[in-house]
Amino acid sequence: MSQKFPKLFLVLLAILFVLNLIQASVTELIYDEAYYWYYAQNMAWGYFDHPPMVAFLIKLSSFLFDGELGVRFMSCVLSVGTYVILWDLIDNPKKKDYVVHFFLLVFSFTLMNAYGFLTLPDTPLLFFTALFLWLYKRFLKDPSLPTTLLLGLVMAALMYSKYHAVLVILFVFLSNIKLIANKKAWLAVVLALVCYIPHFVWLYQNDFVSITFHLYERPNQAYSFDGFTLGYFLNLIVIIGLLFYWVYGALFKFRATDKFSKALVYLVYGIIIFFFISSFNRRVQAQWAIAITIPLVVIAFNYMLDNAKSRKWMYRIGLFSLILLLYARVWLVYHPLFPVLYETHGNKEWVNELHEKAGDVPVVFENSYRRAPMYQFYSGIPAISLNNYMYRKNQYSIDGSEEKVRGKKVLYVTKYRNSGDLSYMHLDSTVFHGIYIDNFQSYRSLKCIVNKRETGIGYDLKVYNPYPFDIPLEELKYTISYSNAYKQVEQMLPLKVKGKEFHRALLKSKDTLYYSFELPLTKMENPVYFRIGISENGLPPGLNGQPFKIRE
């Protein structure tokens, strides 16, 4: 152990682990963490936005600790594991003389630093990317059965972490195309697919909702070079931090000498090029390319070991980055250190204010899968997000969360009202108003299925009731929302439907009603999509139908 990991390495690793534990304990959750904590309250083989690994890590953490550490503990563990694997991936014997340089380098990678204590899907993605590369390196040297089986299991774990993992596996494969004739490689792939079957089944049972959303339903906007492509290159700088010049400089000067180093190059350039092309279609978020940081650490540290001038500058900038990032970590906890609000500031404050005013009444947040779990986490009171035509679907759209508040008195909270039964304010001065609703009833799972008629004008509409109870038709009103080419809603109108069903009083459980309709005139110029929604009991219309393209 001491030969592989010097004493100084183990000491610094222990310090890092304790630092991350403290940070995880005293920093308020960010909104995405609260959302994934909500995932973990009902363990499943998949969720609306992501595979289940992030929920699994939170569930494990919750068995050991309460509060924020009960969400983040496993992230601290995986971060330590990532450092260990990265160190072992570097073969250069000089590395033992530059342990401090190694920690300064890795600590300076901004998002890798943050994922050392935050629990997001990218946290396990980083760990399993490092472990995947470590096993692949062993596989190249000795494709034994144990290594092959472990490789398959880790590929499955990668895919259970985040869908972007397919890029990691794909580009490593493309770096060594001869693997296509390797039986052991196929065994690893088959094992990974077998392990992934539960998630495939979940996707099938949920109408491939995750794939459909990410590929087709996610709202977009008109292309902007500054916001899309230039913004993407800025993100590539942000995820590396202050050492970006030396890290990317090491990449440009790096030359592959074997199959493993070739895999590192393919992985970095493959992901960068893939999202560069994607940037011409949509805004690429910084964390989407986070997997490149694992091979970049290996490439940059190896280059630093053999280049004294770069080593000197990387050390100096690394020290400055260390101080800056430690200051930022304190700022995450103590807002007055820097006059910029972040998601870790003021959550307990607004939750406590709302809880004091609302008491133990369940809260229904309009269009906010972020505030609903944050409120539930810090107050312990049930809360859901009710999504309407101006928002998007999320986990609250598919998990039956309506049933938690059905028939109960609730507080309906929105930022779009000017008054209400009560109000509260976030730290950014945004005011929210809430109104009490007795006997709350919503039917957001009603499905509207639209088909264009083959002859004539107009459309056919099927309305399916998936609930285990009948629904009074008098409570339902139909609407249509028009949106542009980027699925941004610009107008909502009432919709008149025609059919022979109006004599019925109820839409029975598991039953379907059949209507027809024509598109109402809109003031919107050249609408591209429309979507059918249902307004129940005066609530804003839901997302009951899929976006339907007006002209093919």
Side-chain angles (χ1 to χ4, degrees):
M1 184 77 169
S2 60
Q3 292 180 348
K4 211 169 193 180
F5 301 101
K7 183 178 180 180
L8 180 58
F9 178 90
L10 297 176
V11 169
L12 292 177
L13 192 67
I15 292 173
L16 176 69
F17 183 56
V18 172
L19 174 65
N20 284 338
L21 286 177
I22 295 172
Q23 188 79 48
S25 302
V26 299
T27 306
E28 293 184 15
L29 297 187
I30 65 174
Y31 284 110
D32 279 354
E33 286 183 296
Y35 185 43
Y36 302 138
W37 168 84
Y38 175 72
Y39 279 10
Q41 305 315 295
N42 183 18
M43 291 301 297
W45 285 106
Y47 298 92
F48 184 90
D49 311 79
H50 295 290
M53 184 62 76
V54 65
F56 176 67
L57 294 178
I58 292 173
K59 179 61 72 173
L60 287 179
S61 298
S62 69
F63 289 144
L64 301 170
F65 299 97
D66 296 322
E68 288 88 352
L69 193 56
V71 175
R72 295 167 170 160
F73 176 73
M74 287 305 300
S75 295
C76 300
V77 174
L78 292 190
S79 176
V80 167
T82 302
Y83 273 70
V84 169
I85 295 169
L86 284 171
W87 178 263
D88 200 45
L89 278 173
I90 298 162
D91 292 328
N92 196 318
K94 297 179 183 178
K95 69 179 183 180
K96 294 179 181 179
D97 298 324
Y98 299 100
V99 174
V100 174
H101 293 70
F102 172 81
F103 275 86
L104 287 175
L105 172 65
V106 183
F107 195 85
S108 294
F109 279 58
T110 50
L111 288 189
M112 190 182 297
N113 188 312
Y115 297 147
F117 59 91
L118 298 178
T119 298
L120 302 165
D122 303 279
T123 307
L125 179 71
L126 284 173
F127 172 77
F128 287 115
T129 296
L131 187 55
F132 170 67
L133 290 174
W134 184 82
L135 285 167
Y136 177 66
K137 186 177 181 181
R138 289 189 60 179
F139 181 85
L140 291 174
K141 294 178 180 179
D142 178 23
S144 65
L145 183 60
T147 299
T148 300
L149 296 178
L150 285 172
L151 192 61
L153 292 174
V154 169
M155 283 194 289
L158 257 176
M159 289 300 299
Y160 272 117
S161 299
K162 197 171 183 179
Y163 294 122
H164 292 89
V166 70
L167 299 178
V168 176
I169 299 169
L170 173 64
F171 289 122
V172 169
F173 167 75
L174 290 178
S175 72
N176 185 6
I177 202 69
K178 290 183 179 180
L179 287 173
I180 201 169
N182 189 310
K183 293 181 180 179
K184 292 286 184 66
W186 277 108
L187 175 60
V189 170
V190 170
L191 177 59
L193 291 174
V194 169
C195 292
Y196 209 61
I197 285 175
H199 185 63
F200 285 135
V201 172
W202 182 90
L203 286 171
Y204 175 77
Q205 293 173 338
N206 289 273
D207 300 321
F208 295 94
V209 63
S210 304
I211 308 301
T212 301
F213 172 74
H214 287 301
L215 293 182
Y216 305 112
E217 290 191 37
R218 184 187 287 271
N220 200 3
Q221 61 191 80
Y223 175 76
S224 158
F225 176 78
D226 291 347
F228 282 47
T229 305
L230 179 59
Y232 168 60
F233 284 110
L234 292 176
N235 285 339
L236 290 178
I237 294 174
V238 168
I239 65 176
I240 304 302
L242 296 181
L243 287 176
F244 76 92
Y245 175 82
W246 290 272
V247 171
Y248 285 118
L251 172 66
F252 297 147
K253 296 172 184 176
F254 183 75
R255 295 295 177 266
T257 57
D258 54 28
K259 291 179 180 179
F260 180 72
S261 57
K262 186 178 179 182
L264 298 179
V265 173
Y266 268 63
L267 182 52
V268 176
Y269 282 114
I271 290 177
I272 289 176
I273 293 171
F274 177 87
F275 285 117
F276 169 69
I277 296 171
S278 299
S279 74
F280 291 98
N281 176 258
R282 63 176 64 249
R283 189 186 299 273
V284 177
Q285 297 178 20
Q287 70 271 19
W288 289 2
I290 189 66
I292 68 172
T293 58
I294 298 299
L296 281 177
V297 167
V298 178
I299 291 170
F301 191 62
N302 272 314
Y303 179 76
M304 184 190 71
L305 291 176
D306 295 325
N307 191 300
K309 185 177 179 181
S310 288
R311 185 164 63 241
K312 179 178 67 175
W313 278 106
M314 290 174 77
Y315 182 80
R316 292 174 177 175
I317 302 299
L319 281 175
F320 181 70
S321 180
L322 171 70
I323 296 170
L324 197 63
L325 288 173
L326 288 176
Y327 185 86
R329 279 176 173 242
V330 178
W331 163 73
L332 289 176
V333 180
Y334 186 64
H335 171 239
L337 283 181
F338 193 68
V340 174
L341 279 175
Y342 187 59
E343 296 178 19
T344 58
H345 300 135
N347 291 315
K348 290 181 180 179
E349 187 176 330
W350 74 259
V351 168
N352 288 337
E353 180 183 355
L354 179 56
H355 188 202
E356 287 178 2
K357 294 180 177 180
D360 293 339
V361 174
V363 179
V364 176
F365 288 86
E366 181 178 271
N367 291 347
S368 187
Y369 70 89
R370 292 155 62 89
R371 285 184 286 274
M374 188 71 78
Y375 182 80
Q376 185 170 338
F377 179 82
Y378 282 115
S379 71
I381 303 301
I384 71 167
S385 172
L386 196 72
N387 311 308
N388 65 41
Y389 73 104
M390 290 298 294
Y391 200 48
R392 73 166 181 87
K393 290 185 177 182
N394 49 61
Q395 182 63 22
Y396 290 95
S397 305
I398 66 171
D399 66 357
S401 55
E402 290 172 306
E403 305 312 315
K404 296 178 182 178
V405 296
R406 186 176 305 284
K408 297 180 180 180
K409 179 180 180 179
V410 304
L411 181 69
Y412 187 87
V413 172
T414 176
K415 65 178 180 180
Y416 303 108
R417 293 179 61 92
N418 295 320
S419 62
D421 297 318
L422 60 81
S423 63
Y424 71 97
M425 187 169 65
H426 278 226
L427 206 59
D428 63 359
S429 299
T430 302
V431 177
F432 293 80
H433 295 280
I435 58 170
Y436 288 108
I437 300 176
D438 295 315
N439 187 25
F440 181 81
Q441 298 288 341
S442 66
Y443 312 115
R444 292 301 151 104
S445 292
L446 287 174
K447 292 185 179 180
C448 293
I449 303 168
V450 175
N451 289 297
K452 182 76 170 69
R453 290 182 175 177
E454 295 183 1
T455 58
I457 61 173
Y459 298 82
D460 293 319
L461 172 65
K462 294 190 293 184
V463 182
Y464 174 68
N465 175 14
Y467 292 101
F469 52 82
D470 302 339
I471 296 175
L473 288 177
E474 65 180 10
E475 296 182 8
L476 309 182
K477 293 183 180 179
Y478 296 93
T479 64
I480 186 168
S481 55
Y482 289 106
S483 57
N484 58 26
Y486 307 103
K487 298 185 177 69
Q488 297 169 326
V489 174
E490 295 192 8
Q491 187 178 18
M492 189 275 288
L493 297 169
L495 180 68
K496 293 182 179 180
V497 296
K498 305 174 184 177
K500 300 179 181 179
E501 312 287 355
F502 293 103
H503 66 282
R504 297 174 57 175
L506 298 173
L507 172 52
K508 293 187 175 298
S509 172
K510 313 298 181 184
D511 198 6
T512 303
L513 296 181
Y514 298 87
Y515 297 110
S516 63
F517 68 92
E518 295 180 6
L519 296 179
L521 293 176
T522 171
K523 296 180 181 180
M524 179 181 171
E525 186 176 350
N526 297 320
V528 179
Y529 293 93
F530 71 81
R531 189 173 200 161
I532 305 300
I534 295 177
S535 171
E536 66 273 57
N537 303 307
L539 295 170
L543 299 162
N544 304 90
Q546 302 296 326
F548 195 95
K549 199 166 188 178
I550 297 175
R551 301 177 187 85
E552 294 296 337

